[in-house]
């Protein structure tokens, strides 16, 4: 089990944390654009939705206007993401009705929110990808992701991100069941994700996908 702070919802068992998806219609239409409450630069635990049964999430904000909001279910699996590139509009994945997202509450995560160095993630990792299966991969100091000796091959590239404690991520999945071939998103390395080294949340403009990686 991951040892989260008291601000985070209870985590699921280790093997239950794999690459999860949430289906939805294509975000190529206007339903993908949505308004989300803005917060100053930093990292936050937030709650949205029904006040009697709120949905918890993490909110990452950069000084240049880049934003990422990841909402999770009761097992701390990502179910919905909202992202905004600098100078652009918020986008929802999966696409939603377009109703504004209002934050019921927000709490600043303790500790500094520095820019994450690509080289700090270098190492060998294993990640559950669902159905009891795993993928091994290595991350080089240059951010290159190289697939290991498992049937599911995960490869790609990490680059610097303006978001705190995050990197930009492009991921390619080969022979990984029904996982999309190519996704883009963010690698997030919050301390409260331990024992996971990082969480990767990406999408193919239709589904939100999540990968928890553990150092080998």
């Amino acid at each position: 089990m991951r040892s989260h702070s008291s601000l985070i919802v209870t985590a699921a068992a280790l093997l239950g944390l794999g690459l999860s998806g949430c289906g939805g219609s294509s975000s190529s239409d206007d339903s993908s654009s949505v308004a989300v409450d803005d917060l100053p630069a930093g990292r936050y635990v937030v709650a949205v939705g029904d006040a009697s049964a709120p949905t918890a999430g993490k909110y990452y904000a950069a000084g240049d206007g880049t934003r990422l909001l990841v909402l999770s279910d009761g097992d701390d699996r990502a179910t919905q993401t909202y992202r905004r590139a600098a100078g652009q509009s918020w986008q929802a994945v999966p696409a939603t009705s377009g109703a504004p997202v209002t934050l019921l509450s927000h709490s600043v995560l303790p500790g500094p929110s520095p820019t994450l160095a690509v080289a700090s993630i270098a190492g060998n990792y294993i990640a559950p990808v669902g159905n009891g299966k795993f993928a091994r991969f290595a991350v080089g100091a240059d951010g290159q992701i190289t697939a290991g000796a498992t049937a599911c091959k995960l490869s790609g590239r990490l680059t610097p991100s303006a978001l705190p404690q995050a990197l930009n991520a492009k991921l390619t999945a080969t022979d990984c069941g029904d996982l999309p071939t190519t996704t883009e998103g963010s690698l997030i390395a919050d301390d409260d994700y331990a024992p996971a080294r990082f969480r990767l949340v990406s999408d193919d403009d239709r589904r939100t996908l999540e990968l928890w990686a553990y150092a080998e």
Side-chain angles (χ1 to χ4, degrees):
M1 301 285 286
R2 286 172 289 114
S3 57
H4 285 223
S5 69
S6 61
L7 295 174
I8 309 299
V9 294
T10 302
L14 179 64
L15 292 181
L17 297 174
L19 191 64
S20 61
C22 184
S25 59
S26 171
S27 64
S28 61
D29 56 28
D30 290 341
S31 63
S32 67
S33 182
V34 65
V36 181
D37 283 350
D38 215 2
L39 292 176
R43 300 177 301 140
Y44 304 86
V45 173
V46 300
V48 304
D50 186 348
S52 62
T55 298
K58 287 281 193 74
Y59 188 116
Y60 302 86
D64 67 354
T66 304
R67 298 287 187 273
L68 173 65
L69 170 59
V70 183
L71 300 181
S72 302
D73 62 16
D75 289 328
D76 209 19
R77 296 185 179 94
T79 56
Q80 178 77 50
T81 60
Y82 300 90
R83 48 179 166 79
R84 187 179 76 187
Q88 299 185 21
S89 300
W90 283 93
Q91 299 295 315
V93 179
T96 66
S97 62
V101 178
T102 300
L103 302 180
L104 298 176
S105 65
H106 66 275
S107 301
V108 178
L109 282 167
S113 301
T115 299
L116 188 65
V118 173
S120 70
I121 299 297
N124 296 312
Y125 298 95
I126 186 169
V129 294
N131 298 320
K133 297 181 180 181
F134 297 83
R136 285 186 165 87
F137 60 95
V139 178
D142 62 352
Q144 190 69 33
I145 302 172
T146 304
T150 46
C152 172
K153 304 293 185 183
L154 296 172
S155 59
R157 185 78 175 178
L158 302 175
T159 56
S161 171
L163 293 172
Q165 289 295 97
L167 296 172
N168 297 321
K170 291 186 178 181
L171 185 69
T172 297
T174 304
D175 295 329
C176 296
D178 62 353
L179 300 184
T181 301
T182 304
T183 57
E184 296 188 27
S186 296
L187 178 154
I188 307 164
D190 276 343
D191 290 343
D192 62 356
Y193 288 160
R197 179 64 181 86
F198 59 80
R199 178 190 198 186
L200 186 133
V201 180
S202 60
D203 66 73
D204 61 356
D205 289 332
R206 297 181 299 109
R207 289 183 292 170
T208 296
L209 302 176
E210 179 181 48
L211 178 70
W212 294 88
Y214 300 83
E216 286 201 296

